[in-house]
Amino acid sequence: MNAIGIDLGTTNSVACTVKNGQFHFLKFSGKDLLPSAILVNNEKITVGKSAITKSIINADKFISSAKTYMGDLSHTWDIDGKKFTATDVAAEVLKEIYKVAKKFFANDDEITVVITVPAQFSFDQRAETKKAGEMAGFKVKQILAEPIAAAMAYAFDAKKNEKIYVVDLGGGTFDVALLESQGGNYYKTLMVDGNRTLGGDDFTKAVVELMMSEIRKSIGVDLSTQEKSKLSKIDYASALQKLYNEANKKKCALSTSESEDIRLVNLFPYKSGYYDLNMTVTREDFLQEAAPFVREVENVIRRSFDDINFTEEDVDRVILVGGSANMPFVRNCVQKIFDKEPYSDKDLSKLVAMGAAILADDELGNGIQQHDIISHSFGVEVLGKRMAKMLHKNEEYPCEFTDTFYTVDDYQEAVEINAYEGEDTEHVDNNRYIGGFVLEDIERAPAGKEIVVQFKFDKNCILHVMARDPKYPDVEKEVHLNPYYGTENESQ
């Protein structure tokens, strides 16, 4: 069987397979990491390192960190007259992995894959990730939460019973999770939390902001927007890409050095020639600029303690995951909170792919028991544009809940049932609409008539929403909301 695990990352992607009990990583231009970036030029799509290299002179045709917009089909990149969604970009990255995987296995059998996503990913985001995998040619076995994959990679060989706290700081997302592991083949998620918009890209932006500040002070050019810079669209895009490429390098370097020199020649047209940036960035400057992001890491971790009423002492092991977790001040923050040294003896950038590979493998994966939880609450819209929660965040699934609601108008003939995902009970529009239906032909009665509503979340991550009139047994309707394909079917 051809099976691989893929960590489809914001910055880099990793693909791993298990062969003869050993982990093997697919190679992309000789490297284990494939940059999750594409460049489109005259309808030719370049993926990975080559795309980054060419981005300096083709910045307006370059797309990176697209995972940040996964599930948002309204956000597109328009290049050479063609629109690309984050799903399209992910599919191109996965096609590159598929091409390398076909060469690795050297046969015509289909390739089964487990693709990982942040624990905080919503229905839509998981759905679009699976769609991208299928567009690339894979048979998608499962969409797996990254913290679970990381815990599997760490605990699979340990064969111990322990509670593992995962701190996963990737390129564009930040997850924390508490899992219970038993004997290396039983994993129960107890809590998930995080920040969908925090990641290594924010720390890169901190270095970019330091460079922009220097440019503003030295020559008065403001690169915060194209309009303020007074540069052409192409010149501005090129300058910005150079800044980000350099910032990404210096961000990593400042993890081990006290200061870094920055030399960018011909950054953008200036007066009768070009502007060269020459400056030194210290670690202290970097930490000061990045301080809000470090505080958010700490805030998320401390907030998670309240989700299920546990303390730092209840945690047996803390695991760092994601390339951005390599930064010393992230490690120091985690160590201060838990008063114990985080484990990072394995390559942080490969852990998630290793766990996915274990689950993808028939022999190893079939012996694993997973008990996962809902990462966001589900509820129904009620009077006043509010939401009544039916299934709660961090509740283990499969699960279900039934409640009774009441009509608000006299002699109503129908009620509208709208399902949402989120935590805001006071303002339903602050949550994500995931589907709904109208229950017709109910008993015509004065306001206050009972309507029974049931939410059921099954083991395949399908949400079943049902409503019925208890007075008329035949008046019942159910919608199955599939996280991978939207509304699957209805029954009446």
Side-chain angles (χ1 to χ4, degrees), residues 291-322:
F293 309 127
V294 179
R295 284 197 297 271
E296 178 61 8
V297 169
E298 182 174 355
N299 290 340
V300 168
I301 294 174
R302 294 196 183 280
R303 182 182 71 206
S304 72
F305 296 159
D306 299 327
D307 283 351
I308 58 170
N309 192 27
F310 75 101
T311 67
E312 302 92 324
E313 289 75 21
D314 297 323
V315 176
D316 298 304
R317 190 193 309 217
V318 182
I319 299 174
L320 296 181
V321 183

Side-chain angles (χ1 to χ4, degrees), residues 184-449:
N185 59 7
Y186 173 96
Y187 301 90
K188 181 178 181 179
T189 309
L190 303 176
M191 174 282 302
V192 293
D193 208 328
N195 184 326
R196 298 186 197 182
T197 62
L198 176 68
D201 286 352
D202 293 296
F203 293 90
T204 301
K205 290 175 186 175
V207 181
V208 170
E209 184 53 45
L210 290 172
M211 291 191 283
M212 287 185 174
S213 178
E214 175 64 25
I215 294 168
R216 283 194 297 269
K217 286 188 293 185
S218 62
I219 60 172
V221 174
D222 186 350
L223 293 179
S224 59
T225 67
Q226 182 199 344
E227 183 178 10
K228 291 180 179 179
S229 73
K230 298 181 181 179
L231 297 174
S232 70
K233 182 178 179 180
I234 292 178
D235 286 337
Y236 179 76
S238 176
L240 208 60
Q241 193 57 51
K242 289 176 183 177
L243 290 177
Y244 271 91
N245 287 354
E246 183 71 6
N248 204 44
K249 297 174 187 175
K250 299 308 180 185
K251 173 190 71 175
C252 299
L254 287 167
S255 292
T256 55
S257 67
E258 291 298 325
S259 65
E260 285 291 316
D261 293 331
I262 293 176
R263 303 285 183 266
L264 289 176
V265 179
N266 298 335
L267 185 57
F268 54 80
Y270 179 65
K271 292 185 177 179
S272 58
Y274 279 83
Y275 174 74
D276 298 338
L277 175 62
N278 295 286
M279 64 179 294
T280 299
V281 176
T282 67
R283 183 189 293 178
E284 183 178 355
D285 293 335
F286 176 39
L287 288 178
Q288 185 174 350
E289 191 69 34
F293 309 127
V294 179
R295 284 197 297 271
E296 178 61 8
V297 169
E298 182 174 355
N299 290 340
V300 168
I301 294 174
R302 294 196 183 280
R303 182 182 71 206
S304 72
F305 296 159
D306 299 327
D307 283 351
I308 58 170
N309 192 27
F310 75 101
T311 67
E312 302 92 324
E313 289 75 21
D314 297 323
V315 176
D316 298 304
R317 190 193 309 217
V318 182
I319 299 174
L320 296 181
V321 183
S324 300
N326 276 307
M327 292 183 286
F329 44 85
V330 174
R331 169 185 286 276
N332 293 340
C333 172
V334 174
Q335 184 175 1
K336 180 181 70 174
I337 293 172
F338 289 94
D339 195 26
K340 55 170 63 81
E341 183 72 21
Y343 280 74
S344 58
D345 52 307
K346 297 181 181 180
D347 192 329
L348 305 190
S349 62
K350 298 178 182 177
L351 266 181
V352 171
M354 291 166 64
I358 291 171
L359 192 61
D361 185 81
D362 257 357
E363 184 176 343
L364 297 177
N366 289 343
I368 291 177
Q369 295 183 53
Q370 292 179 71
H371 297 266
D372 208 350
I373 59 177
I374 300 171
S375 59
H376 303 86
S377 299
F378 295 102
V380 63
E381 181 181 359
V382 295
L383 183 66
K385 298 291 289 183
R386 293 178 296 114
M387 184 182 81
K389 289 186 179 181
M390 299 288 286
L391 303 176
H392 292 261
K393 175 183 175 182
N394 289 333
E395 186 172 354
E396 184 178 341
Y397 65 85
C399 57
E400 63 180 76
F401 183 73
T402 303
D403 203 354
T404 300
F405 298 89
Y406 303 90
T407 58
V408 295
D409 295 321
D410 290 336
Y411 308 113
Q412 281 184 230
E413 297 181 351
V415 290
E416 189 172 355
I417 306 297
N418 292 315
Y420 285 81
E421 179 185 39
E423 310 306 323
D424 194 332
T425 57
E426 295 301 315
H427 304 91
V428 71
D429 291 335
N430 289 338
N431 303 310
R432 193 180 65 84
Y433 175 73
I434 55 175
F437 58 88
V438 175
L439 180 67
E440 299 177 311
D441 300 323
I442 64 174
E443 178 193 19
R444 299 187 67 196
K449 174 186 168 42

